[in-house]
Amino acid sequence: AKEAGRGRTDYYRAEMDHEREERNRLEVDLRIAIERREIVIVYQPLVEAGSWQLIGVEALARWTRRGYGPVPPEVFIPIAESTGLIDQLGLFVLHRACERMARWPEIKVAVNISPGQFRDPAFALHVDSVFRKTNTNPARVTLEMTEGYLVQNPERARAAISKLKRLGVKIALDDFGAGFSSVGYLRQFGFDRMKIDKSLVDGLNDGVQAIEMLQATVALARSLDLPVTAEGVESERQAMQLRTIGCDELQGYFFGRPVPAEEIDRMYENGRRT
Ligand code: C2E
Ligand code: CA
Ligand code: CA
Ligand code: CA
């Protein structure tokens, strides 16, 4: 029994070493991919809730790891965050999106920023320099952020957000309703928009209580004069309900999955003709 016990310990230790090694390799490959600019940006349509017209896109990062295949953002974004690679990656995504949006002059572009990017005191300066280099009107850009950092470090978050807002970009609170969302934060940080998390939208399928929860959340945003985007909209029924509840903007597979920029070129042209 003693022998077997030791064997097990060794086994777990080997397993842990293996995991650590695998993570290190993933990190090395991600660093290389960012340096070689192998991260690709896809764009998901944002539509106006009443007309279903294309009014914007959200830029989302994609990584196909050499020799392995696609790695989901839920895996590589946290690695980028914990290793500091997120600064470079985040600005790269912003840069690419700004270059591309020159082709879509009538719609806006949303880009995700990680809380970690606020740790760089020069973040707003870097953002400004991307806008200048790409000749982008900041008013057409929305930066989406989750509330994690607001809770952790409200002072720094407030300073960073107000610097960004002075550039003229819009700031949206992403994934609202997914965690411990606090109303206080909504008011004091000067957000321009709230994005309702998919988990709340999914609730539309499961009955009265969840619908009331969603209604209350949207009503709250509207009482603060915040326009609301609902994400993860997968059916026409949900789209109708969300519009009735008071969301002005919708996003989800029902309207379109994240697609390469060329597909947005086509959608944009079609939207203009009709
Ligand atoms: P997010 O910002 O909440 O982005 C929305 C996610 O929901 C995207 O997943 C999108 O593909 C997915 N989605 C949209 N509509 C639907 C729907 O109707 N049904 C379902 N099942 N899913 C839908 P994705 O692209 O895998 O990205 C996951 C997360 O990774 C993003 O969540 C965001 O937090 C993060 N991420 C992606 N790109 C970047 C980036 O460039 N920078 C940062 N900081 N984070 C990023
Ligand atoms: Ca987002
Ligand atoms: Ca979101
Ligand atoms: Ca999300």
Side-chain angles (χ1 to χ4, degrees), residues 58-60 110-112 144-146 174-175 195 231 251:
E58 177 174 1
L60 294 157
V111 175
N112 294 287
E144 299 188 355
M145 51 171 301
T146 53
D174 204 352
D175 294 353
K195 288 189 87 171
E231 65 181 12
Q251 174 181 11

Side-chain angles (χ1 to χ4, degrees), residues 178-211:
F180 307 92
S181 311
S182 157
V183 185
Y185 290 117
L186 277 179
R187 210 190 286 275
Q188 60 177 296
F189 288 97
F191 288 106
D192 299 291
R193 172 169 292 278
M194 179 200 278
K195 288 189 87 171
I196 301 267
D197 194 61
K198 180 177 183 298
S199 58
L200 279 185
V201 173
D202 288 343
L204 283 175
N205 307 329
D206 358 293
V208 182
Q209 229 182 346
I211 295 172

Side-chain angles (χ1 to χ4, degrees), residues 114-161:
S114 286
Q117 295 178 260
F118 281 170
R119 265 180 259 142
D120 177 0
F123 178 58
L125 279 177
H126 295 316
V127 170
D128 189 36
S129 116
V130 170
F131 291 157
R132 286 171 197 278
K133 278 187 206 146
T134 55
N135 222 340
T136 299
N137 173 4
R140 289 180 52 216
V141 177
T142 303
L143 299 179
E144 299 188 355
M145 51 171 301
T146 53
E147 62 207 318
Y149 191 69
L150 309 183
V151 185
Q152 269 171 44
N153 203 333
E155 285 317 312
R156 258 213 244 171
R158 200 191 326 277
I161 289 173

Side-chain angles (χ1 to χ4, degrees), residues 3-22:
E3 279 301 297
R6 173 138 38 83
R8 206 151 48 222
T9 311
D10 289 347
Y11 174 78
Y12 283 125
R13 190 169 299 135
E15 187 82 328
M16 267 165 57
D17 287 347
H18 178 76
E19 262 170 43
R20 200 173 307 127
E21 263 170 46
E22 181 45 36

Side-chain angles (χ1 to χ4, degrees), residues 44 58 60-62 73-74 77 93 112-114 174-175 198 231-234 252-253 258:
Q44 186 175 29
E58 177 174 1
L60 294 157
R62 292 290 179 268
E74 279 88 357
I77 295 291
V93 173
N112 294 287
I113 53 174
S114 286
D174 204 352
D175 294 353
K198 180 177 183 298
E231 65 181 12
V233 182
E234 293 184 344
Y253 291 174

